[in-house]
Amino acid sequence: MKRIIGILLILLACYLGYAGITKFSNSSQSVDIIGIEISAEDNQKKSTAFIYLGFALLSFIGGIILVKEKNK
């Protein structure tokens, strides 16, 4: 049972990591007008992306621990 939960946590970590990277890459936009680059960043999206990546790391570590744990 612990092994199944560990695998689910690893899958959750993959999803959260993907969502975090996608949010981070979409957090800034830039426009090039007449040779001048104008950029804008959304700090709310960046902080949300870091939270997703943090939870992804925690779930991945928890999943690895549960998968490697020997059955007692």
Side-chain angles (χ1 to χ4, degrees), residues 14-41:
C14 291
Y15 170 74
L16 288 174
Y18 174 76
I21 290 171
T22 304
K23 279 192 180 289
F24 187 78
S25 66
N26 291 336
S27 67
S28 64
Q29 298 289 329
S30 64
V31 176
D32 193 17
I33 300 174
I34 313 171
I36 301 172
E37 184 177 344
I38 300 172
S39 63
E41 293 184 1

